[in-house]
Structure formats: C-alpha cells, structure tokens
Amino acid sequence: MGRLFGTDGVRGIANKDLTNELAMKIGMAAAEILIKNRDEDNKPKVMIGKDTRASGDMLEAALTAGFCAVGVDVISVGVVPTPAIAYLVGKYGCDAGVMISASHNPCAYNGIKIFQGNGYKLPDETEEEIEAIILDNSEETELQIGGGVGNRVYCKTAVEDYIQHVVSVCDVRFDGMNIALDTANGSASVCAKEIFTRLGAKCHMLSDTPDGTNINKHCGSTHPEELMEFVKANKLDLGLAFDGDADRMLAVDENGKLIDGDRIIAVCAMQMKQEGKLNHDTAVVTVMSNMGFFKFCEENGINCAKTAVGDRYVLERMLKKGYNIGGEQSGHVIFLDYATTGDGELSGVKLIETVVKSGTTLGNLAKVMAVYPQVLINVEVTPKGKQKYNNDEYIISAVQEAEMELHGDGRVLVRVSGTEPLVRVMLEGKDLEKITKLGNDIADVVKERLS
C-alpha cells in the first residue's frame, strides 16, 4: 500500500480523511502526469463517474477543478458503476477515468479510483508519482490560464452505452427467468433492471431507491439477508446482490442460500471448461478463497492460481499468464474476455447464462463445490497498529499456536485490510467450534496489541 493509495484507490471518510483539498490535489497531480506523458498537443480528456453517495457531487467538483486547472478536459457521466468507467474510457477515447466511490463501505466514506485509458487501474508506480507530487512536491504543477484551462462537458449516453456492452456479452435469452436484484441503493440502480430485462428476465427490485445516505445500508452484497428471504418467499429462480459501485456481486439460489464469489467462479469456470473457453484450464483466486474451491479444482481438472488479496493482484496474474477468469470470495469476478476489472452486473449475466445453458437450477450447479466452515473476524486497529502488525511477536506466536492445534485440518490467515483500518482474522477447518475459538483467541491478541 502507498501513502495515499490503498489496494483500491484513495479512500476515507469524506470531508475528514478525504477532503475537497486532497481531491483537488489528486486531480492536479494526475493531470500533471497525463500532460507530461501525452505526445499530442491537444488537451487530455478524463472521464469522471460516481456512485450515489451524498459526498459524490462535492468531490467531483473538487476533482474537476484540479484537472481543469492544469489543462485537462473532463467528461462527467454522473452515476455509473465502476466497471462502466473502465469500459467507457476506451470507447470515448479518454486518457484516464476516475470513479468516485467507496465501494461497499457506508455512506460517510468515499474514495477515488483512477483508471488508465486502456481501462486498467493505475500501476503502483503511477500512484507513487501522484503521491510524490502531492506529499513531497516532487514536481511543480503548472496552472493554466485563458484558453489553456480545461473544460467540463456532460455525457448523457454513457449509461446506455454500458448497458449495451453488458447485454452483448451474453449469447442466450433469459426468457422465463424470474429473478430479484438488490442494487444496494448504489450505482447498479441506474442500469441493472434494464440490463436483465432486455435479456428477457422478469426482475423484482430491492434497495433501488438511493437517497444519498442509504447506499449499502442493510442491503446489497454486504447484507444479503433480505434478498435471501425474498427469493425463497417468492419462489424465484435466483437473486443477485451488488455492492455500492456494482463491481462485485453475490448470488442467491432458488432456496434462498447465498452463493459467494468462490462458487460463482467455480460454476462459471466449469461451464467455460466444457465449452473449451477456459484459458489454460485455469482459474485465479486469492489466498482468502475457501479450501473447498481448491478441492473443486483438483476434482475437476482445473488449475488454481493463487494470489495475494485484492482484485488488482488477481488481474495482474491473469494478464501475465493469459488466464480469463478470476476473482475473490467477496464477489469481485473478472471475465477478462469482456472486461478489464471486476463487474458485478456482467458477472450476473454470465452466471445466469450458465444456469440457462445447464437446464438446471443455480442451487444444483453450486453443489459442484463443497464449502468448508470459515470464520472471519474483523478487528479494528489504529493506523499505527496496521504498520506494526507484521512484526508483532505476540500475534505471530498466536497464529503459530492455532496452526499447530489444527494439525493440517484447516488453515489460518491473518492480514491487514488494504481499504479499512482493520486486521482480518480468517480460519477454515472441518470443526466450526474449534476454528471459532481459535479465531477469537487470535483476534483478542490483535486487539490487545494493535487497537
């Protein structure tokens, strides 16, 4: 992690950690790099989108001011999913794209994610350049005057262009499918219903009335309980739950049972393998994936490539090795044949496509992968505590003791969150009672040492 950028952009409480001043400086620093690296004489273009948070307008204004002050034109597309920005920067010939969102976090948080003109997130070295300009004054930002100042325009076709793109990745119809969509009162509220309706599904909408403050509030992929009950009570075929910026998706089967990112990848990878479309017969996941996924791969002739936690690391491995499906248990799934980043709605389309082609239910498809009991405990720590975690001998000892007690029938993974002030303690094993006790023991040590 950098000094400003975490694993998924700059993030914090709006007007406290992520201020207007910082947003404007990020815009100015990013603009300086764009201009420096551009061969042509005309002004660079940056696309800016946002989710539904109340602070989005404020931060967009600050970012826009920063870009325009240094001579970069801004295309404002309003509320869109994060993956829409990743797709549209290329379609509209932009030099970069910015998404203002804090993803699955509560309303008070916000964030800034920057994409390159090719739709991929900024590499670490570019983020470090931006940080150096802001924090170290490594380069003097040249402010423009007169006609050199950038302009802002509003784009009204962006959402429709994105909808058409997602619909186009599917080669079957969803006629007769009866589904529920929980848009988390976020970005998916502007396009999810239209996408799945165009493909023929009958859609029942949940949490699709954003008011600026209710994003992710007891809804969406972080709180799928209402969706699970709704699907079961109304005897629907399945449900899809998105997070605030719609770059992740979790599913619910016809019985109201949650289908996480691991099983979504398993189901889709199996279909791709059967069709001869799974590159190198490999799926990419992180070390946080369930042990059941690794067992599924062994049993079905699928290679499993493991990375550090974070969809950017999954993507790096996919690009390096030519793999075309990967993701995280949390619901970030990357279909690299169609997208440059995790896309919740596109993932939902591909999952339902698989269900339709199979002629069976999502619940039956998901049985291909058994799920080992897993315990995840989030321990809130101080910023200084996050820095001390790796070298704390008491925490290291607690982890080693838990691993010895599991005797190879499980695993322990303790890591620092890249986006929140948390240390995540995760244990898996056959005995839920045992791993719960061991997890709480480790969490108590982390809390005592780092909180």
Side-chain angles (χ1 to χ4, degrees):
M1 291 186 294
R3 293 177 289 170
L4 292 175
F5 288 87
T7 54
D8 201 16
V10 180
R11 192 173 295 183
I13 296 176
N15 258 352
K16 182 181 177 184
D17 308 310
L18 181 54
T19 62
N20 291 323
E21 291 81 4
L22 178 56
M24 186 168 70
K25 288 178 180 178
I26 291 171
M28 293 171 70
E32 185 68 29
I33 291 170
L34 285 176
I35 290 172
K36 181 178 66 174
N37 295 336
R38 188 175 173 85
D39 296 329
E40 304 171 30
D41 292 332
N42 54 314
K43 297 174 185 174
K45 289 188 300 183
V46 171
M47 177 176 286
I48 299 182
K50 59 193 172 187
D51 66 20
T52 58
R53 294 165 209 271
S55 58
D57 291 347
M58 173 186 77
L59 292 171
E60 181 184 13
L63 269 168
T64 300
F67 279 115
C68 290
V70 185
V72 172
D73 288 338
V74 171
I75 299 176
S76 177
V77 297
V79 173
V80 293
T82 288
I85 293 293
Y87 167 70
L88 293 168
V89 287
K91 182 175 180 64
Y92 283 71
C94 294
D95 297 272
V98 181
M99 181 67 184
I100 303 169
S101 173
S103 190
H104 60 284
N105 291 145
C107 166
Y109 288 81
N110 218 324
I112 296 171
K113 307 179 189 182
I114 306 179
F115 293 88
Q116 304 172 78
N118 58 11
Y120 295 108
K121 292 178 183 178
L122 289 184
D124 291 344
E125 53 268 27
T126 305
E127 291 182 346
E128 288 166 4
E129 276 190 80
I130 293 172
E131 290 174 340
I133 292 173
I134 296 170
L135 300 175
D136 305 328
N137 297 312
S138 63
E139 296 181 31
E140 186 174 343
T141 304
E142 183 179 348
L143 302 181
Q144 300 297 312
I145 60 173
V149 172
N151 300 303
R152 177 178 64 175
V153 296
Y154 293 94
C155 176
K156 297 181 179 180
T157 56
V159 172
E160 173 60 25
D161 286 337
Y162 172 68
I163 289 172
Q164 290 182 16
H165 163 63
V166 176
V167 169
S168 74
V169 309
C170 186
D171 57 13
V172 299
R173 295 281 301 169
F174 297 166
D175 299 319
M177 294 292 289
N178 210 1
I179 68 174
L181 303 173
D182 182 342
T183 67
N185 293 312
S187 292
S189 63
V190 302
C191 50
K193 183 177 182 179
E194 185 64 23
I195 288 169
F196 292 92
T197 299
R198 284 193 195 182
L199 286 166
K202 181 179 179 181
C203 300
H204 304 262
M205 303 305 296
L206 282 73
S207 302
D208 67 332
T209 54
D211 63 9
T213 64
N214 60 0
I215 186 170
N216 299 316
K217 190 173 183 180
H218 308 304
C219 59
S221 62
T222 50
H223 300 282
E225 296 80 15
E226 182 183 358
L227 178 65
M228 294 163 69
E229 293 174 7
F230 186 88
V231 169
K232 185 177 181 180
N234 290 278
K235 296 181 170 57
L236 304 184
D237 293 302
L238 56 85
L240 304 176
F242 308 101
D243 69 336
D245 67 337
D247 65 351
R248 68 170 74 178
M249 178 275 296
L250 297 180
V252 173
D253 73 11
E254 69 280 3
N255 300 309
K257 294 183 179 178
L258 190 66
I259 309 296
D260 67 9
D262 285 341
R263 286 199 284 175
I264 291 167
I265 296 168
V267 167
C268 292
M270 275 290 289
Q271 180 67 29
M272 292 167 68
K273 186 174 190 291
Q274 290 167 8
E275 295 179 353
K277 296 179 180 178
L278 182 63
N279 288 1
H280 307 292
D281 284 341
T282 299
V284 185
V285 294
T286 77
V287 293
M288 286 288 282
S289 282
N290 193 275
M291 291 173 67
F293 184 86
F294 309 135
K295 185 76 170 175
F296 150 79
C297 288
E298 291 175 11
E299 293 173 347
N300 291 281
I302 294 175
N303 303 311
C304 179
K306 285 182 275 189
T307 76
V309 176
D311 62 316
R312 68 186 302 155
Y313 304 114
V314 171
L315 178 61
E316 283 175 6
R317 183 71 60 86
M318 294 173 72
L319 290 171
K320 184 176 181 180
K321 297 292 186 177
Y323 306 139
N324 59 346
I325 188 171
E328 297 184 284
Q329 191 181 71
S330 61
H332 276 121
V333 181
I334 303 171
F335 288 86
L336 200 54
D337 293 331
Y338 311 105
T340 57
T341 189
D343 187 329
E345 287 156 311
L346 192 151
S347 298
V349 166
K350 299 307 288 184
L351 180 65
I352 298 179
E353 179 185 73
T354 300
V355 172
V356 172
K357 286 180 176 179
S358 73
T360 186
T361 65
L362 177 57
N364 281 335
L365 286 177
K367 290 176 183 176
V368 72
M369 177 190 144
V371 178
Y372 281 62
Q374 188 178 78
V375 172
L376 178 62
I377 304 170
N378 292 322
V379 183
E380 191 166 339
V381 299
T382 64
K384 188 177 290 186
K386 285 181 72 170
Q387 300 297 324
K388 290 167 53 182
Y389 158 70
N390 284 322
N391 299 313
D392 191 284
E393 59 185 71
Y394 291 91
I395 297 174
I396 293 171
S397 176
V399 170
Q400 291 174 340
E401 288 176 10
E403 289 173 336
M404 290 175 61
E405 193 162 338
L406 287 171
H407 300 298
D409 281 335
R411 63 175 181 142
V412 181
L413 182 62
V414 183
R415 69 176 189 90
V416 173
S417 169
T419 59
E420 299 173 84
L422 301 173
V423 167
R424 304 191 193 279
V425 178
M426 189 274 282
L427 282 85
E428 282 178 345
K430 297 178 180 178
D431 187 333
L432 179 59
E433 185 177 344
K434 176 183 283 189
I435 63 173
T436 300
K437 178 185 180 301
L438 293 174
N440 285 323
D441 289 345
I442 295 171
D444 288 342
V445 176
V446 172
K447 188 173 183 179
E448 179 183 336
R449 301 291 297 170
L450 305 182
S451 296

